[in-house]
Amino acid sequence: MTQRPGATPYPIPPAVQEAYGPADLSSMSLFGGGFINFGYWQDIDLDQPLTEHDRISSQQAMYRHVLATLAAAQEPRALEVGSGLGVGCAVALKEYGFGHVTGMDIHPQQLNRAEQANADLLARRPEQLRFAHGAAESMPFAEGEFDCLYSVEAAQHFRDLDAFAREAARVLRPGGRAVIASFFVPDADPARPERLAELLDTYSTGLDVAHTVPQLTGSLERAGLTGVRATPIGASVWPGWDRWLARMWEPGTWPRNFLRAYREGTLDYFTVTAQRPMP
C-alpha cells in the first residue's frame, strides 16, 4: 500500500467511515463477489427469478461497461478512484489488458481487505497491481502518472467535486481519459436534495451527497478537461437493482425508493467521460 510522504490524511466523513469500516458493505448479501455497486442489468432477464450469480454478474457488467469506454492505449496505466476491495482492478487487469492498475481508496480498512482479497494476484503480478491510500480530492500521485482514470459508484461520496476534477486532470497524462459512473441528480432543481433525503436514508444520514450532473460536468470542464459528456444509463440499473432488493425489502421501504426517485426524475445513474487535452 502506498501513501504520499508527508501527506495530510483527508478526513473520512463519519457515515463513510462506518459503512466501509465496521459495517463492511461488501459483506452484505445485497452485493456479493466483493463488489459494491448497484449493477448493470442490461443482459440479465429480470422476468426470471434472480440468483446470486445474476447479482455478481450485474456488478461485473458495470465494470465492463465502464472499462470498455476507455481509450484503447497499449497496456495503459490506470487509476481506480474508490477501489473498495479491488475486484474491479482485477477485472481491468485480467480482461482488458491494462499494463498496471492502481486501486486508491480513502478507507484503510477497505485497503486491507483489498490486499487480502487480491493476495494471489498481488503475488503473481506485483509489477501490475498496487493499492494506495488517498482521497479523490487529494491523490498521492505525480502529475501525468496515468493513461486513464475510472471510478465506479464512489463519486456520490465525494465532498468536493471541484477538487476531485482538478486532481483527476493533474494525474492524467495529456490525452488521458476519465470515466465516472455513479448516481446523480439529473438537473439543477434546488428541491432535489431535500426530496432525496425524504426518500432515501443514505442521503439523510450523509453517506451519499446529492451532487448534480451539471455540477460534475462543470467541475471537469473548469479543471481543463475536454469532451465532457454525461450519458444516462438508469434504465439498465434501477429496475434490476429494485428486483434484487425485492428479495429482502418490502414495497414502500426506503431502499425500494431508488426506483421511485428515478421514475420521478429526482435521481439517475450516469457514465461521465472526459479527456485531458493534448498540449
Side-chain angles (χ1 to χ4, degrees), residues 4-177:
R4 180 171 51 192
T8 301
Y10 199 87
I12 306 176
V16 174
Q17 172 73 41
E18 173 63 23
Y20 297 99
D24 186 13
L25 285 184
S26 65
S27 67
M28 297 177 64
S29 58
L30 287 176
F31 300 103
F35 295 94
I36 311 174
N37 70 68
F38 292 167
Y40 188 76
W41 301 82
Q42 182 171 278
D43 296 325
I44 296 172
D45 187 353
L46 301 183
D47 292 327
Q48 299 296 321
L50 296 178
T51 65
E52 180 74 11
H53 174 75
D54 292 327
R55 179 67 186 111
I56 294 172
S57 294
S58 77
Q59 296 177 98
Q60 292 170 327
M62 178 64 77
Y63 269 93
R64 291 174 180 136
H65 172 76
V66 168
L67 294 168
T69 66
L70 292 170
Q74 179 147 11
E75 296 189 345
R77 294 182 62 85
L79 170 65
E80 180 175 351
V81 179
S83 55
L85 269 67
V87 288
C89 298
V91 172
L93 280 176
K94 293 175 180 178
E95 298 186 23
Y96 289 86
F98 283 65
H100 187 278
V101 177
T102 296
M104 185 192 76
D105 205 278
I106 194 173
H107 206 303
Q109 282 181 263
Q110 286 292 75
L111 291 166
N112 289 336
R113 293 175 186 131
E115 291 181 339
Q116 293 169 13
N118 295 278
D120 181 62
L121 189 58
L122 285 165
R124 289 187 291 107
R125 303 193 198 180
E127 75 288 353
Q128 288 188 286
L129 178 64
R130 65 169 171 168
F131 293 101
H133 184 213
E137 301 89 345
S138 179
M139 301 185 193
F141 310 114
E143 181 172 350
E145 187 169 337
F146 300 100
D147 300 305
C148 53
L149 175 154
Y150 64 95
S151 182
V152 175
E153 211 164 298
Q156 76 278 3
H157 301 315
F158 301 167
R159 265 43 189 181
D160 188 337
L161 290 181
D162 281 344
F164 161 66
R166 289 193 299 269
E167 285 291 87
R170 181 182 66 80
V171 303
L172 281 172
R173 64 162 177 80
R177 286 175 56 80

